[in-house]
Amino acid sequence: MKARFLSLPGALQAQILRRTAACAVSMLLFALALIVYGDLWLCLSFAAFAAVFAAMTALLLRRCLSGQYVAVSGVCLSVERTGLRRRVKSLTVSAPPHTVKCLPRGKLSGIAVGDTVTLYVAASAPVYERGGCLNLDGCMAIEFTKGCSNGELDE
């Protein structure tokens, strides 16, 4: 199991470890709230958070270990940001022979036009076509290399 986990791409490993850490922190807060406060409702909320994080981790781990994901690699063509907080709203990647537009969930910083991007998408994720571009609503993980558009690092 450990060898299969270590054979996964780094971005997927990091995502699984983040979810596992969130589950562990929720369980720790559950135990702490039970010992210190003894409040049943507070303890149940932390237990519910831990259960949700554990289920999310198990589903992602199962999907990754069974190979039910697709890696889409290409060059970043555009990064659309929100107005006020400047968070990434959408990411357009040229992955020949297609152009893929992804709406990433969560925080994604440091990505720029010309970077090499790898999107890890569930094999069963719906893909919609609009205006000659394939649209994805989120992905499992995103990995990018700064300034690496032709396989050579810019210095």
Side-chain angles (χ1 to χ4, degrees):
M1 176 85 158
K2 182 179 177 182
R4 288 175 49 196
F5 176 76
L6 292 176
S7 69
L8 292 174
L12 290 175
Q13 287 180 7
Q15 191 71 305
I16 291 169
L17 291 176
R18 278 188 207 111
R19 291 180 185 190
T20 304
C23 178
V25 167
S26 295
M27 288 301 292
L28 182 68
L29 289 174
F30 166 76
L32 187 68
L34 186 64
I35 293 169
V36 173
Y37 297 110
D39 184 16
L40 179 65
W41 293 110
L42 183 62
C43 293
L44 287 178
S45 66
F46 287 127
F49 286 142
V52 167
F53 284 127
M56 288 172 41
T57 303
L59 289 174
L60 181 61
L61 185 63
R62 182 181 59 92
R63 174 167 282 154
C64 291
L65 291 180
S66 64
Q68 296 176 354
Y69 65 92
V70 178
V72 179
S73 294
V75 178
C76 179
L77 295 178
S78 70
V79 179
E80 187 179 348
R81 298 187 182 273
T82 60
L84 186 61
R85 295 180 65 191
R86 309 298 300 159
R87 295 187 112 178
V88 175
K89 185 176 178 180
S90 70
L91 187 66
T92 306
V93 178
S94 172
H98 302 290
T99 302
V100 179
K101 185 174 187 177
C102 180
L103 306 173
R105 297 183 188 124
K107 187 176 180 180
L108 179 64
S109 61
I111 193 162
V113 175
D115 293 346
T116 300
V117 178
T118 304
L119 304 171
Y120 296 99
V121 183
S124 61
V127 179
Y128 305 102
E129 185 173 357
R130 182 175 182 192
C133 184
L134 300 177
N135 292 336
L136 293 171
D137 185 28
C139 56
M140 296 189 309
I142 299 175
E143 190 173 51
F144 63 93
T145 305
K146 300 283 302 161
C148 187
S149 58
N150 294 341
E152 299 176 8
L153 290 174
D154 295 339
E155 293 183 24

